Amino acid sequence: MSVLLLFSACTGNAPETQKSKVTVAASFYPVYIFTLNLLDGIDEINVECMAEQSVGCLHDYNLTAKDARLLSDAKVLVINGAGMESFLEDAFESVENLKVVDSSENITLICNEAHHHDETDHNHHHHENSHIWLSVDNAKVQVKNIKNGLVAEFPEYEKNIEKNYEDYIARLDSLIEKRDKVFFGEEVPSVISFHGAYEYLGEDLGFRIADTIEGDEGAEPSAKELAHLVSEIKEKNIKALFVEPDYSGSAAEILSRETATKIYTINPVISGDTTLTAYEDIMEENYKIILKAVE
């Protein structure tokens, strides 16, 4: 029962896995949805989402005994790549006969400077941003990489997988058309983000992230840092403050109150239901919110 509970976060209802079924594991929600689309209608393959949704992004995730069991049962593990699953590498490298499909191949990563705030220092850390799925163009490449990996591993289902791939890419192209209607063009609005995920959205839509505020281990910016941010918001004509759905800090509310800048919740697509259109649905909603935020 506990094993089923783990997967219920990603699969909604987790039926008993039949012994005859082959398991494909996905490391977390975005690549899980991509993989579900590609294997849709292939009843002999069971797709499981490894990390529970409540973890959000995987940077701080700790592997559980259940995850290890799933890895040992799986024939294929689909990962986001781009450094997102660094915590997992030792685990999956030690599993014999596990095919790992890295969805980030051939994607140019954004190297961004995250501003980590604590009471004593304002540290700048350069790192490659692994939230690649928040660009639909990247998502298309990820889906192609996953498709190629699955076809190589399950050649008997190549026809089905290719058909599913074509259908999904057509839907993602439709999403790109909707995105391009939002693109801001010459006027590049600036926002401040409380999550490191939104740079790819910014590239896609043509807005700039003036500052990313990520507290180390939940630490909030100091009073001095908040005062600096208030000045920055006023000087740079910051249009909006972007937070993620489970943001629980107080800094965004303080900055909003001090500068009359509105807070908007942008969904980083790290949790959701199991409908095949989940990725498009969330992204389309994001576009609408962002358009409203910076117009």
PDB file of all heavy atoms in Angstrom, residues 118-149:
ATOM      1  N   ASP A 118      21.212  36.137   2.669  1.00  0.00           N
ATOM      2  CA  ASP A 118      21.167  35.821   4.089  1.00  0.00           C
ATOM      3  C   ASP A 118      21.450  37.107   4.858  1.00  0.00           C
ATOM      4  O   ASP A 118      21.580  38.166   4.277  1.00  0.00           O
ATOM      5  CB  ASP A 118      22.154  34.694   4.452  1.00  0.00           C
ATOM      6  CG  ASP A 118      23.592  35.045   4.106  1.00  0.00           C
ATOM      7  OD1 ASP A 118      23.974  36.217   4.308  1.00  0.00           O
ATOM      8  OD2 ASP A 118      24.328  34.142   3.661  1.00  0.00           O
ATOM      9  N   GLU A 119      21.552  36.989   6.155  1.00  0.00           N
ATOM     10  CA  GLU A 119      21.650  38.190   6.984  1.00  0.00           C
ATOM     11  C   GLU A 119      22.977  38.920   6.807  1.00  0.00           C
ATOM     12  O   GLU A 119      23.100  40.088   7.081  1.00  0.00           O
ATOM     13  CB  GLU A 119      21.479  37.818   8.473  1.00  0.00           C
ATOM     14  CG  GLU A 119      20.046  37.448   8.844  1.00  0.00           C
ATOM     15  CD  GLU A 119      19.054  38.582   8.617  1.00  0.00           C
ATOM     16  OE1 GLU A 119      19.397  39.738   8.908  1.00  0.00           O
ATOM     17  OE2 GLU A 119      17.945  38.309   8.121  1.00  0.00           O
ATOM     18  N   THR A 120      24.008  38.214   6.370  1.00  0.00           N
ATOM     19  CA  THR A 120      25.342  38.809   6.381  1.00  0.00           C
ATOM     20  C   THR A 120      25.887  39.105   5.001  1.00  0.00           C
ATOM     21  O   THR A 120      26.804  39.901   4.855  1.00  0.00           O
ATOM     22  CB  THR A 120      26.338  37.851   7.071  1.00  0.00           C
ATOM     23  OG1 THR A 120      26.297  36.584   6.396  1.00  0.00           O
ATOM     24  CG2 THR A 120      25.955  37.654   8.526  1.00  0.00           C
ATOM     25  N   ASP A 121      25.358  38.485   3.993  1.00  0.00           N
ATOM     26  CA  ASP A 121      26.041  38.580   2.711  1.00  0.00           C
ATOM     27  C   ASP A 121      25.046  38.504   1.569  1.00  0.00           C
ATOM     28  O   ASP A 121      23.952  38.008   1.693  1.00  0.00           O
ATOM     29  CB  ASP A 121      27.040  37.411   2.605  1.00  0.00           C
ATOM     30  CG  ASP A 121      28.034  37.624   1.468  1.00  0.00           C
ATOM     31  OD1 ASP A 121      28.087  38.744   0.942  1.00  0.00           O
ATOM     32  OD2 ASP A 121      28.740  36.663   1.138  1.00  0.00           O
ATOM     33  N   HIS A 122      25.460  39.016   0.441  1.00  0.00           N
ATOM     34  CA  HIS A 122      24.676  38.904  -0.783  1.00  0.00           C
ATOM     35  C   HIS A 122      25.562  38.157  -1.767  1.00  0.00           C
ATOM     36  O   HIS A 122      26.433  38.737  -2.393  1.00  0.00           O
ATOM     37  CB  HIS A 122      24.346  40.313  -1.279  1.00  0.00           C
ATOM     38  CG  HIS A 122      23.437  40.321  -2.475  1.00  0.00           C
ATOM     39  ND1 HIS A 122      23.034  41.455  -3.090  1.00  0.00           N
ATOM     40  CD2 HIS A 122      22.831  39.330  -3.152  1.00  0.00           C
ATOM     41  CE1 HIS A 122      22.238  41.194  -4.114  1.00  0.00           C
ATOM     42  NE2 HIS A 122      22.106  39.890  -4.157  1.00  0.00           N
ATOM     43  N   ASN A 123      25.376  36.858  -1.813  1.00  0.00           N
ATOM     44  CA  ASN A 123      26.247  36.024  -2.633  1.00  0.00           C
ATOM     45  C   ASN A 123      25.690  35.854  -4.030  1.00  0.00           C
ATOM     46  O   ASN A 123      24.493  35.745  -4.221  1.00  0.00           O
ATOM     47  CB  ASN A 123      26.384  34.624  -2.006  1.00  0.00           C
ATOM     48  CG  ASN A 123      26.973  34.684  -0.620  1.00  0.00           C
ATOM     49  OD1 ASN A 123      27.929  35.404  -0.403  1.00  0.00           O
ATOM     50  ND2 ASN A 123      26.388  33.940   0.317  1.00  0.00           N
ATOM     51  N   HIS A 124      26.585  35.794  -5.007  1.00  0.00           N
ATOM     52  CA  HIS A 124      26.178  35.560  -6.391  1.00  0.00           C
ATOM     53  C   HIS A 124      26.702  34.193  -6.820  1.00  0.00           C
ATOM     54  O   HIS A 124      27.897  33.936  -6.734  1.00  0.00           O
ATOM     55  CB  HIS A 124      26.747  36.638  -7.310  1.00  0.00           C
ATOM     56  CG  HIS A 124      26.254  38.007  -6.979  1.00  0.00           C
ATOM     57  ND1 HIS A 124      25.120  38.552  -7.533  1.00  0.00           N
ATOM     58  CD2 HIS A 124      26.722  38.945  -6.130  1.00  0.00           C
ATOM     59  CE1 HIS A 124      24.924  39.768  -7.058  1.00  0.00           C
ATOM     60  NE2 HIS A 124      25.889  40.025  -6.197  1.00  0.00           N
ATOM     61  N   HIS A 125      25.810  33.335  -7.254  1.00  0.00           N
ATOM     62  CA  HIS A 125      26.224  32.015  -7.711  1.00  0.00           C
ATOM     63  C   HIS A 125      25.833  31.862  -9.175  1.00  0.00           C
ATOM     64  O   HIS A 125      24.665  31.975  -9.511  1.00  0.00           O
ATOM     65  CB  HIS A 125      25.530  30.913  -6.895  1.00  0.00           C
ATOM     66  CG  HIS A 125      25.869  30.968  -5.441  1.00  0.00           C
ATOM     67  ND1 HIS A 125      27.055  30.502  -4.949  1.00  0.00           N
ATOM     68  CD2 HIS A 125      25.180  31.440  -4.381  1.00  0.00           C
ATOM     69  CE1 HIS A 125      27.077  30.676  -3.639  1.00  0.00           C
ATOM     70  NE2 HIS A 125      25.963  31.249  -3.264  1.00  0.00           N
ATOM     71  N   HIS A 126      26.817  31.593 -10.031  1.00  0.00           N
ATOM     72  CA  HIS A 126      26.506  31.315 -11.427  1.00  0.00           C
ATOM     73  C   HIS A 126      26.219  29.828 -11.548  1.00  0.00           C
ATOM     74  O   HIS A 126      26.971  28.989 -11.066  1.00  0.00           O
ATOM     75  CB  HIS A 126      27.686  31.692 -12.323  1.00  0.00           C
ATOM     76  CG  HIS A 126      27.906  33.160 -12.414  1.00  0.00           C
ATOM     77  ND1 HIS A 126      27.223  33.964 -13.290  1.00  0.00           N
ATOM     78  CD2 HIS A 126      28.726  33.978 -11.718  1.00  0.00           C
ATOM     79  CE1 HIS A 126      27.622  35.212 -13.135  1.00  0.00           C
ATOM     80  NE2 HIS A 126      28.524  35.254 -12.188  1.00  0.00           N
ATOM     81  N   HIS A 127      25.122  29.488 -12.183  1.00  0.00           N
ATOM     82  CA  HIS A 127      24.839  28.072 -12.392  1.00  0.00           C
ATOM     83  C   HIS A 127      23.968  27.916 -13.624  1.00  0.00           C
ATOM     84  O   HIS A 127      23.260  28.830 -14.028  1.00  0.00           O
ATOM     85  CB  HIS A 127      24.152  27.456 -11.166  1.00  0.00           C
ATOM     86  CG  HIS A 127      22.802  28.038 -10.875  1.00  0.00           C
ATOM     87  ND1 HIS A 127      21.643  27.489 -11.363  1.00  0.00           N
ATOM     88  CD2 HIS A 127      22.440  29.133 -10.163  1.00  0.00           C
ATOM     89  CE1 HIS A 127      20.610  28.222 -10.960  1.00  0.00           C
ATOM     90  NE2 HIS A 127      21.058  29.218 -10.231  1.00  0.00           N
ATOM     91  N   GLU A 128      24.069  26.713 -14.226  1.00  0.00           N
ATOM     92  CA  GLU A 128      23.237  26.435 -15.393  1.00  0.00           C
ATOM     93  C   GLU A 128      21.828  26.144 -14.913  1.00  0.00           C
ATOM     94  O   GLU A 128      21.621  25.368 -13.989  1.00  0.00           O
ATOM     95  CB  GLU A 128      23.826  25.264 -16.180  1.00  0.00           C
ATOM     96  CG  GLU A 128      25.127  25.653 -16.867  1.00  0.00           C
ATOM     97  CD  GLU A 128      25.718  24.540 -17.693  1.00  0.00           C
ATOM     98  OE1 GLU A 128      25.559  23.363 -17.298  1.00  0.00           O
ATOM     99  OE2 GLU A 128      26.336  24.827 -18.725  1.00  0.00           O
ATOM    100  N   ASN A 129      20.875  26.788 -15.546  1.00  0.00           N
ATOM    101  CA  ASN A 129      19.487  26.675 -15.123  1.00  0.00           C
ATOM    102  C   ASN A 129      18.886  25.405 -15.729  1.00  0.00           C
ATOM    103  O   ASN A 129      18.848  25.251 -16.951  1.00  0.00           O
ATOM    104  CB  ASN A 129      18.717  27.912 -15.584  1.00  0.00           C
ATOM    105  CG  ASN A 129      17.355  28.017 -14.938  1.00  0.00           C
ATOM    106  OD1 ASN A 129      16.655  27.035 -14.815  1.00  0.00           O
ATOM    107  ND2 ASN A 129      16.981  29.215 -14.528  1.00  0.00           N
ATOM    108  N   SER A 130      18.410  24.528 -14.869  1.00  0.00           N
ATOM    109  CA  SER A 130      17.929  23.220 -15.348  1.00  0.00           C
ATOM    110  C   SER A 130      16.428  23.173 -15.612  1.00  0.00           C
ATOM    111  O   SER A 130      15.897  22.127 -15.970  1.00  0.00           O
ATOM    112  CB  SER A 130      18.317  22.131 -14.334  1.00  0.00           C
ATOM    113  OG  SER A 130      17.874  22.483 -13.044  1.00  0.00           O
ATOM    114  N   HIS A 131      15.719  24.310 -15.470  1.00  0.00           N
ATOM    115  CA  HIS A 131      14.253  24.319 -15.648  1.00  0.00           C
ATOM    116  C   HIS A 131      13.881  24.465 -17.131  1.00  0.00           C
ATOM    117  O   HIS A 131      13.063  25.308 -17.522  1.00  0.00           O
ATOM    118  CB  HIS A 131      13.641  25.465 -14.848  1.00  0.00           C
ATOM    119  CG  HIS A 131      13.968  25.423 -13.381  1.00  0.00           C
ATOM    120  ND1 HIS A 131      15.145  25.910 -12.871  1.00  0.00           N
ATOM    121  CD2 HIS A 131      13.272  24.923 -12.332  1.00  0.00           C
ATOM    122  CE1 HIS A 131      15.153  25.730 -11.548  1.00  0.00           C
ATOM    123  NE2 HIS A 131      14.029  25.125 -11.202  1.00  0.00           N
ATOM    124  N   ILE A 132      14.480  23.606 -17.938  1.00  0.00           N
ATOM    125  CA  ILE A 132      14.422  23.782 -19.390  1.00  0.00           C
ATOM    126  C   ILE A 132      13.015  23.636 -19.964  1.00  0.00           C
ATOM    127  O   ILE A 132      12.695  24.221 -20.996  1.00  0.00           O
ATOM    128  CB  ILE A 132      15.370  22.782 -20.097  1.00  0.00           C
ATOM    129  CG1 ILE A 132      15.136  21.351 -19.581  1.00  0.00           C
ATOM    130  CG2 ILE A 132      16.817  23.191 -19.888  1.00  0.00           C
ATOM    131  CD1 ILE A 132      15.976  20.283 -20.267  1.00  0.00           C
ATOM    132  N   TRP A 133      12.155  22.845 -19.305  1.00  0.00           N
ATOM    133  CA  TRP A 133      10.819  22.539 -19.854  1.00  0.00           C
ATOM    134  C   TRP A 133       9.910  23.764 -19.914  1.00  0.00           C
ATOM    135  O   TRP A 133       8.867  23.729 -20.544  1.00  0.00           O
ATOM    136  CB  TRP A 133      10.156  21.433 -19.025  1.00  0.00           C
ATOM    137  CG  TRP A 133       9.870  21.845 -17.607  1.00  0.00           C
ATOM    138  CD1 TRP A 133       8.721  22.420 -17.135  1.00  0.00           C
ATOM    139  CD2 TRP A 133      10.752  21.758 -16.480  1.00  0.00           C
ATOM    140  NE1 TRP A 133       8.823  22.685 -15.784  1.00  0.00           N
ATOM    141  CE2 TRP A 133      10.070  22.294 -15.360  1.00  0.00           C
ATOM    142  CE3 TRP A 133      12.047  21.282 -16.305  1.00  0.00           C
ATOM    143  CZ2 TRP A 133      10.647  22.361 -14.092  1.00  0.00           C
ATOM    144  CZ3 TRP A 133      12.614  21.345 -15.040  1.00  0.00           C
ATOM    145  CH2 TRP A 133      11.923  21.882 -13.953  1.00  0.00           C
ATOM    146  N   LEU A 134      10.294  24.864 -19.252  1.00  0.00           N
ATOM    147  CA  LEU A 134       9.433  26.044 -19.255  1.00  0.00           C
ATOM    148  C   LEU A 134       9.548  26.853 -20.542  1.00  0.00           C
ATOM    149  O   LEU A 134       8.852  27.846 -20.719  1.00  0.00           O
ATOM    150  CB  LEU A 134       9.720  26.916 -18.029  1.00  0.00           C
ATOM    151  CG  LEU A 134       9.123  26.317 -16.747  1.00  0.00           C
ATOM    152  CD1 LEU A 134       9.652  26.996 -15.505  1.00  0.00           C
ATOM    153  CD2 LEU A 134       7.602  26.385 -16.763  1.00  0.00           C
ATOM    154  N   SER A 135      10.405  26.425 -21.448  1.00  0.00           N
ATOM    155  CA  SER A 135      10.368  26.913 -22.833  1.00  0.00           C
ATOM    156  C   SER A 135       9.726  25.821 -23.672  1.00  0.00           C
ATOM    157  O   SER A 135      10.170  24.670 -23.636  1.00  0.00           O
ATOM    158  CB  SER A 135      11.781  27.182 -23.356  1.00  0.00           C
ATOM    159  OG  SER A 135      11.797  27.153 -24.763  1.00  0.00           O
ATOM    160  N   VAL A 136       8.689  26.162 -24.407  1.00  0.00           N
ATOM    161  CA  VAL A 136       8.014  25.116 -25.218  1.00  0.00           C
ATOM    162  C   VAL A 136       8.950  24.593 -26.300  1.00  0.00           C
ATOM    163  O   VAL A 136       8.883  23.421 -26.663  1.00  0.00           O
ATOM    164  CB  VAL A 136       6.734  25.643 -25.907  1.00  0.00           C
ATOM    165  CG1 VAL A 136       5.885  24.482 -26.373  1.00  0.00           C
ATOM    166  CG2 VAL A 136       5.925  26.499 -24.980  1.00  0.00           C
ATOM    167  N   ASP A 137       9.819  25.467 -26.829  1.00  0.00           N
ATOM    168  CA  ASP A 137      10.779  24.994 -27.841  1.00  0.00           C
ATOM    169  C   ASP A 137      11.665  23.911 -27.233  1.00  0.00           C
ATOM    170  O   ASP A 137      11.938  22.893 -27.865  1.00  0.00           O
ATOM    171  CB  ASP A 137      11.630  26.170 -28.345  1.00  0.00           C
ATOM    172  CG  ASP A 137      10.784  27.227 -29.028  1.00  0.00           C
ATOM    173  OD1 ASP A 137      10.103  26.882 -30.003  1.00  0.00           O
ATOM    174  OD2 ASP A 137      10.796  28.383 -28.579  1.00  0.00           O
ATOM    175  N   ASN A 138      12.098  24.128 -25.996  1.00  0.00           N
ATOM    176  CA  ASN A 138      12.884  23.105 -25.307  1.00  0.00           C
ATOM    177  C   ASN A 138      12.049  21.852 -25.050  1.00  0.00           C
ATOM    178  O   ASN A 138      12.547  20.732 -25.198  1.00  0.00           O
ATOM    179  CB  ASN A 138      13.395  23.629 -23.963  1.00  0.00           C
ATOM    180  CG  ASN A 138      14.511  24.643 -24.112  1.00  0.00           C
ATOM    181  OD1 ASN A 138      15.081  24.800 -25.184  1.00  0.00           O
ATOM    182  ND2 ASN A 138      14.820  25.336 -23.034  1.00  0.00           N
ATOM    183  N   ALA A 139      10.802  22.047 -24.657  1.00  0.00           N
ATOM    184  CA  ALA A 139       9.924  20.895 -24.391  1.00  0.00           C
ATOM    185  C   ALA A 139       9.819  20.005 -25.626  1.00  0.00           C
ATOM    186  O   ALA A 139       9.826  18.772 -25.518  1.00  0.00           O
ATOM    187  CB  ALA A 139       8.541  21.374 -23.947  1.00  0.00           C
ATOM    188  N   LYS A 140       9.741  20.625 -26.792  1.00  0.00           N
ATOM    189  CA  LYS A 140       9.681  19.840 -28.038  1.00  0.00           C
ATOM    190  C   LYS A 140      10.942  18.992 -28.219  1.00  0.00           C
ATOM    191  O   LYS A 140      10.867  17.833 -28.626  1.00  0.00           O
ATOM    192  CB  LYS A 140       9.494  20.770 -29.241  1.00  0.00           C
ATOM    193  CG  LYS A 140       8.082  21.310 -29.400  1.00  0.00           C
ATOM    194  CD  LYS A 140       7.980  22.273 -30.577  1.00  0.00           C
ATOM    195  CE  LYS A 140       8.269  21.592 -31.904  1.00  0.00           C
ATOM    196  NZ  LYS A 140       8.126  22.544 -33.038  1.00  0.00           N
ATOM    197  N   VAL A 141      12.092  19.584 -27.919  1.00  0.00           N
ATOM    198  CA  VAL A 141      13.355  18.830 -28.020  1.00  0.00           C
ATOM    199  C   VAL A 141      13.369  17.701 -26.993  1.00  0.00           C
ATOM    200  O   VAL A 141      13.772  16.575 -27.291  1.00  0.00           O
ATOM    201  CB  VAL A 141      14.571  19.764 -27.810  1.00  0.00           C
ATOM    202  CG1 VAL A 141      15.872  18.963 -27.848  1.00  0.00           C
ATOM    203  CG2 VAL A 141      14.598  20.870 -28.866  1.00  0.00           C
ATOM    204  N   GLN A 142      12.896  17.998 -25.781  1.00  0.00           N
ATOM    205  CA  GLN A 142      12.840  16.963 -24.740  1.00  0.00           C
ATOM    206  C   GLN A 142      11.966  15.794 -25.173  1.00  0.00           C
ATOM    207  O   GLN A 142      12.326  14.627 -25.002  1.00  0.00           O
ATOM    208  CB  GLN A 142      12.306  17.554 -23.434  1.00  0.00           C
ATOM    209  CG  GLN A 142      13.283  18.495 -22.739  1.00  0.00           C
ATOM    210  CD  GLN A 142      12.727  18.995 -21.418  1.00  0.00           C
ATOM    211  OE1 GLN A 142      12.038  20.005 -21.366  1.00  0.00           O
ATOM    212  NE2 GLN A 142      13.030  18.288 -20.333  1.00  0.00           N
ATOM    213  N   VAL A 143      10.797  16.116 -25.724  1.00  0.00           N
ATOM    214  CA  VAL A 143       9.866  15.072 -26.168  1.00  0.00           C
ATOM    215  C   VAL A 143      10.516  14.226 -27.272  1.00  0.00           C
ATOM    216  O   VAL A 143      10.394  12.991 -27.284  1.00  0.00           O
ATOM    217  CB  VAL A 143       8.526  15.694 -26.634  1.00  0.00           C
ATOM    218  CG1 VAL A 143       7.631  14.646 -27.295  1.00  0.00           C
ATOM    219  CG2 VAL A 143       7.798  16.332 -25.448  1.00  0.00           C
ATOM    220  N   LYS A 144      11.254  14.891 -28.169  1.00  0.00           N
ATOM    221  CA  LYS A 144      11.943  14.151 -29.242  1.00  0.00           C
ATOM    222  C   LYS A 144      13.017  13.227 -28.656  1.00  0.00           C
ATOM    223  O   LYS A 144      13.142  12.065 -29.062  1.00  0.00           O
ATOM    224  CB  LYS A 144      12.575  15.129 -30.228  1.00  0.00           C
ATOM    225  CG  LYS A 144      13.197  14.432 -31.432  1.00  0.00           C
ATOM    226  CD  LYS A 144      13.695  15.438 -32.461  1.00  0.00           C
ATOM    227  CE  LYS A 144      14.191  14.711 -33.701  1.00  0.00           C
ATOM    228  NZ  LYS A 144      14.649  15.647 -34.734  1.00  0.00           N
ATOM    229  N   ASN A 145      13.792  13.743 -27.698  1.00  0.00           N
ATOM    230  CA  ASN A 145      14.823  12.914 -27.072  1.00  0.00           C
ATOM    231  C   ASN A 145      14.214  11.706 -26.365  1.00  0.00           C
ATOM    232  O   ASN A 145      14.742  10.588 -26.450  1.00  0.00           O
ATOM    233  CB  ASN A 145      15.621  13.743 -26.048  1.00  0.00           C
ATOM    234  CG  ASN A 145      16.550  14.753 -26.701  1.00  0.00           C
ATOM    235  OD1 ASN A 145      16.993  14.563 -27.831  1.00  0.00           O
ATOM    236  ND2 ASN A 145      16.843  15.829 -25.990  1.00  0.00           N
ATOM    237  N   ILE A 146      13.107  11.935 -25.666  1.00  0.00           N
ATOM    238  CA  ILE A 146      12.439  10.832 -24.961  1.00  0.00           C
ATOM    239  C   ILE A 146      11.892   9.826 -25.971  1.00  0.00           C
ATOM    240  O   ILE A 146      12.041   8.612 -25.806  1.00  0.00           O
ATOM    241  CB  ILE A 146      11.309  11.363 -24.042  1.00  0.00           C
ATOM    242  CG1 ILE A 146      11.887  12.278 -22.955  1.00  0.00           C
ATOM    243  CG2 ILE A 146      10.555  10.196 -23.389  1.00  0.00           C
ATOM    244  CD1 ILE A 146      10.838  13.082 -22.187  1.00  0.00           C
ATOM    245  N   LYS A 147      11.289  10.354 -27.032  1.00  0.00           N
ATOM    246  CA  LYS A 147      10.753   9.468 -28.089  1.00  0.00           C
ATOM    247  C   LYS A 147      11.854   8.581 -28.659  1.00  0.00           C
ATOM    248  O   LYS A 147      11.683   7.358 -28.793  1.00  0.00           O
ATOM    249  CB  LYS A 147      10.129  10.324 -29.201  1.00  0.00           C
ATOM    250  CG  LYS A 147       9.494   9.536 -30.340  1.00  0.00           C
ATOM    251  CD  LYS A 147      10.386   9.363 -31.552  1.00  0.00           C
ATOM    252  CE  LYS A 147      10.624  10.670 -32.285  1.00  0.00           C
ATOM    253  NZ  LYS A 147      11.446  10.422 -33.518  1.00  0.00           N
ATOM    254  N   ASN A 148      13.008   9.179 -28.984  1.00  0.00           N
ATOM    255  CA  ASN A 148      14.115   8.393 -29.551  1.00  0.00           C
ATOM    256  C   ASN A 148      14.592   7.313 -28.580  1.00  0.00           C
ATOM    257  O   ASN A 148      14.867   6.178 -28.977  1.00  0.00           O
ATOM    258  CB  ASN A 148      15.282   9.312 -29.922  1.00  0.00           C
ATOM    259  CG  ASN A 148      14.956  10.196 -31.122  1.00  0.00           C
ATOM    260  OD1 ASN A 148      14.039   9.905 -31.885  1.00  0.00           O
ATOM    261  ND2 ASN A 148      15.697  11.282 -31.281  1.00  0.00           N
ATOM    262  N   GLY A 149      14.659   7.667 -27.302  1.00  0.00           N
ATOM    263  CA  GLY A 149      15.088   6.700 -26.291  1.00  0.00           C
ATOM    264  C   GLY A 149      14.106   5.550 -26.143  1.00  0.00           C
ATOM    265  O   GLY A 149      14.500   4.387 -26.011  1.00  0.00           O
TER     266      GLY A 149
END
